């Protein structure tokens, strides 16, 4: 009988109280849509020391702000908003320190923020007195919500605030020592009628009368990002085409990230006519932050456009940023996060490895490696630690790439899959990512040093109608010299093994190569044998390629079922586990056991149960109780001390377990034993 279950569709029932809060311009031309890329970088202005700093739970100290300023200069920012000096004594002092200690490079302009209020503007000019070049950034809010709810002023009154502020800036600049230019922002632009925002900006520009050699900046802030990026671009296009004195005005954007599309706002805004971007490193700022200038700049870089900002040591930039701001850069932060270049997926790793080989073989000029939008080396990352990383999701391509890049092992194609599965199994059991060294150790254990049953300790050859091998085989504590003929040295040695163990197999694959620089005197050999349709691999390293080949063959044949089987090897692991528990019975836990053997707790618990028939707790209790019986029988320790000595601080718990296991109390056992 078919049973249909109907589930009520859950909705966010308060949605009806929301509506779009932005305004479309009166004319929409959409010329920006015809452009497919940014061809030159905008003017960059970092606002980390003002907007970013005021968003911190614990704002930066004076010394920290100085260090951050020096970082921004080193990266290449030519315009840096350093603070709101009328709002904070620390920011006022910071501005004075930069000027009085002559810390502002000749090609760098500092910027300070001020509201369109007389006493704040005057305090701001006191802070910037003597500046070699400073931008005085004036703002007031123009949105409908701010006009009606906060200021309770009409459009003309709001415009007058901006104009009066602009006039005061111009007057004080003429009276104050220093070199000044001006910037105006209609705050809360998204909530402002676009034509009205332009009207206010033009009224301010009429006061400043910008010239070609002293441009004014009109900055459009997406104070609260409420519109989709294409809407913002359409608004910016209207602003750009309707500003007065356009040739003498730098049109700037200050996108926030409330909708998570700050980068898109910035990029589309530049296409729509913006000349300048204000933002922060890693997108720090109020609420969901400002536009991340690193992402915008590196996006341009990935298209072949030089951004004129230096992020070649991204790990160092990130370290300084995190230390000074006490903020964290996310693992998936574009271009800078710990994992942004890392591939764990087997198919991704395989594609990257092949792409890197393709690029190397053809000496490619342009970067086209799959899954990597830029070369990680360009931002201070490296292939070994940052790109291909190994866990249970990895594949043969990634594992073989790690072995090649870190240890110069070039695995045969037919060997890669088997090695990949061997490594993945370890990661799966341990529930951990594997370091390159760990990958090497797995390969070494399974393919280089695996000779649990026999070894060939010596080998000599004679040329007698072919090759005669005289091999000394060490097996079961005994050595025996075996002679056999072959059509080559390795074939002759193989025949000695077949003769000694009475086995049959085929030498199915052989590959060798020199190890690269650092180990150039050594050779690497890989040997595969096939027995009953199954392939077994071994590897060898030696200065002598023949010795390397013989060792590889020895490893491969040690894996033959007739000589030694996998089941016994797993029993050997159980033996090691139980030995460890015997040696550490007092403090042993599943956690310490899992850590010792690089396995997860659920896996090792199931392994012990499956292989021995008893679980971890039963084994541990049995070991402890045997130790207790020895102490009860052969000593004078009291029961409480014996309980503690075998790992049971609670003597009552110890007594209950002992009685349950042996059907008598510890004291009864002691009395009977004596």
């Amino acid at each position: 009988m078919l049973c249909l279950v109907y589930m009520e569709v859950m909705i966010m029932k308060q949605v009806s109280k929301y509506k779009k809060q932005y305004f479309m311009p009166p004319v929409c031309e959409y010329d920006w849509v015809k452009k497919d890329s940014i061809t030159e970088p905008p003017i960059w202005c970092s606002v980390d020391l003002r907007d970013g700093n005021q968003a911190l739970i614990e704002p930066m100290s004076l010394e920290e702000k100085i260090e951050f300023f020096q970082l921004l200069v080193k990266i290449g920012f030519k315009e840096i908003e350093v603070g709101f000096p009328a709002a904070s004594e620390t920011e006022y002092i910071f501005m004075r320190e930069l000027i009085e200690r002559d810390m502002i490079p000749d090609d760098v302009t500092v910027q300070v923020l001020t509201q369109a209020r007389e006493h704040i503007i005057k305090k701001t000019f006191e802070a910037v007195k003597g500046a070699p070049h400073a931008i005085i950034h004036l703002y007031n809010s123009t949105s409908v919500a701010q006009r009606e709810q906060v200021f309770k002023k009409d459009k003309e009154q709001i415009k007058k605030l901006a104009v009066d502020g602009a006039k005061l800036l111009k007057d004080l600049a003429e009276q104050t020592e220093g070199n000044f230019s001006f910037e105006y922002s209609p705050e809360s632009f998204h909530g402002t009628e676009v034509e009205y925002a332009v009207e206010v900006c033009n009224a301010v520009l009429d006061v400043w009368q910008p010239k070609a050699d002293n441009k004014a900046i009109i900055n459009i802030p997406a104070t609260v990002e409420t519109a989709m990026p294409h809407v913002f671009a359409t608004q910016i296009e209207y602003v750009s085409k309707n500003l007065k004195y356009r040739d003498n005005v730098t049109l700037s954007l200050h996108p926030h990230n409330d909708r998570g599309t700050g980068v898109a706002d910035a990029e589309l805004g530049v296409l729509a006519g913006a000349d300048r971007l204000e933002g922060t490193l890693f997108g720090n700022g109020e609420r969901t932050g400002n536009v991340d200038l690193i992402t915008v700049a590196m996006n341009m870089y990935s298209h072949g456009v030089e951004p004129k900002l230096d992020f070649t040591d991204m790990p160092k930039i990130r370290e300084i940023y995190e230390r000074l701001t006490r903020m964290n850069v996310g693992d998936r932060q574009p271009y800078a996060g710990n994992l942004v270049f890392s591939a764990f997926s087997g198919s991704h790793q395989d594609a990257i490895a092949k792409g890197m080989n393709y690029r190397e073989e053809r000496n490619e000029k342009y970067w086209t490696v799959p899954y990597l939008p830029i070369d990680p080396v360009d931002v201070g990352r490296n292939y070994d630690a940052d790109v291909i990383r190994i866990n249970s999701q990895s594949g043969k391509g990634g594992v073989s790439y790690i072995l090649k890049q870190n240890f110069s092992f070039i695995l045969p194609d037919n060997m890669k899959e088997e090695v990949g599965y061997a490594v993945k199994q370890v990661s799966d059991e341990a529930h951990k990512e594997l370091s390159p060294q760990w990958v090497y150790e797995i390969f070494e254990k399974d393919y280089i040093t695996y000779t649990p049953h026999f070894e060939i300790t010596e080998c000599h050859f004679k040329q007698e109608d072919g090759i005669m091998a005289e091999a000394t085989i060490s097996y079961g504590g005994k050595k025996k010299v075996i002679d056999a003929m072959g059509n080559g040295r390795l074939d002759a040695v193989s025949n000695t093994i077949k003769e000694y163990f009475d086995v049959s197999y085929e030498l199915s694959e052989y590959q060798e190569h020199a190890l690269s620089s650092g180990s150039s005197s050594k050779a690497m050999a890989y040997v595969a044998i096939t027995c009953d349709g199954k392939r077994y691999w071994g590897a060898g390293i030696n200065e002598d390629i023949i010795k390397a080949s013989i060792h590889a063959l020895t490893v491969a044949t040690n894996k033959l079922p007739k000589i030694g089987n996998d089941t016994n090897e797993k029993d050997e692991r159980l033996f090691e586990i139980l030995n460890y528990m015997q040696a550490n019975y007092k403090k042993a836990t599943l956690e310490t056991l899992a850590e010792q053997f690089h396995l997860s707790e659920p896996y090792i618990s199931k392994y012990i149960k499956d292989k021995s028939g008893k679980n971890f707790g039963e084994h541990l209790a049995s070991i402890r109780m045997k130790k207790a019986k020895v102490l009860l029988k052969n000593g004078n320790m009291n029961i409480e001390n014996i309980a503690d000595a075998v790992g049971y601080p609670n003597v009552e718990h110890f007594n209950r377990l002992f009685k349950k296991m042996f059907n008598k109390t510890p004291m009864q056992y002691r009395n009977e034993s004596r």
Side-chain angles (χ1 to χ4, degrees), residues 447-640:
Y447 297 98
I448 298 178
T449 62
Y450 183 78
T451 54
H453 307 296
F454 80 95
E455 293 182 7
I456 294 179
T457 58
E458 192 174 350
C459 196
H460 301 282
F461 300 97
K462 297 178 182 177
Q463 186 81 36
E464 295 180 0
D465 297 327
I467 298 293
M468 169 69 74
E470 183 182 272
T472 301
I473 297 178
S474 176
Y475 176 70
K478 299 178 181 179
K479 292 185 177 181
K480 189 170 184 180
V481 177
I482 305 295
D483 294 339
M485 293 288 295
N487 57 17
R489 295 187 179 189
L490 193 61
D491 183 56
V493 174
S494 177
N495 289 336
T496 66
I497 295 171
K498 291 177 179 178
E499 179 181 327
Y500 184 74
F501 290 104
D502 190 25
V503 293
S504 177
Y505 61 83
E506 297 295 327
L507 276 169
S508 54
E509 193 157 347
Y510 173 82
Q511 185 170 307
E512 65 180 59
H513 64 80
L515 291 177
S516 61
S517 59
S519 306
S520 56
S521 61
K522 292 187 177 181
M524 188 81 182
Y526 308 90
V527 170
I529 62 172
T530 302
C531 180
D532 296 331
K534 185 174 181 181
R535 182 176 289 167
Y536 302 90
W537 283 96
I541 305 174
N542 200 283
E543 290 84 355
D544 186 331
I545 188 59
I546 298 301
K547 291 181 179 179
S549 305
I550 293 170
H551 183 82
L553 174 65
T554 304
V555 170
T557 49
N558 261 274
K559 298 177 179 180
L560 290 172
K562 189 171 182 178
I563 297 175
N565 60 65
D566 193 49
T567 302
N568 289 336
E569 186 180 45
K570 288 186 178 178
D571 290 344
E572 181 69 17
R573 175 191 275 178
L574 177 65
F575 180 76
E576 292 174 2
I577 290 171
L578 296 178
N579 276 351
Y580 177 82
M581 292 175 63
Q582 287 279 358
N584 300 275
Y585 65 90
K586 186 174 180 180
K587 296 184 178 180
T589 64
L590 261 179
E591 182 181 359
T592 59
L593 201 63
E595 183 176 348
Q596 175 70 20
F597 290 91
H598 304 300
L599 301 170
S600 67
E601 291 180 41
Y603 183 90
I604 201 168
S605 176
K606 185 176 184 301
Y607 186 94
I608 293 170
K609 177 70 174 177
D610 290 347
K611 293 300 177 184
S612 68
K614 293 194 296 183
N615 63 33
F616 168 80
E618 291 169 335
H619 276 292
L620 188 62
S622 175
I623 293 168
R624 287 175 170 177
M625 291 306 172
K626 287 179 182 178
K627 298 290 183 182
K629 288 172 73 174
V630 172
L631 293 174
L632 287 166
K633 185 176 182 180
N634 301 313
N636 297 315
M637 292 175 65
N638 62 38
I639 303 299
E640 186 173 355

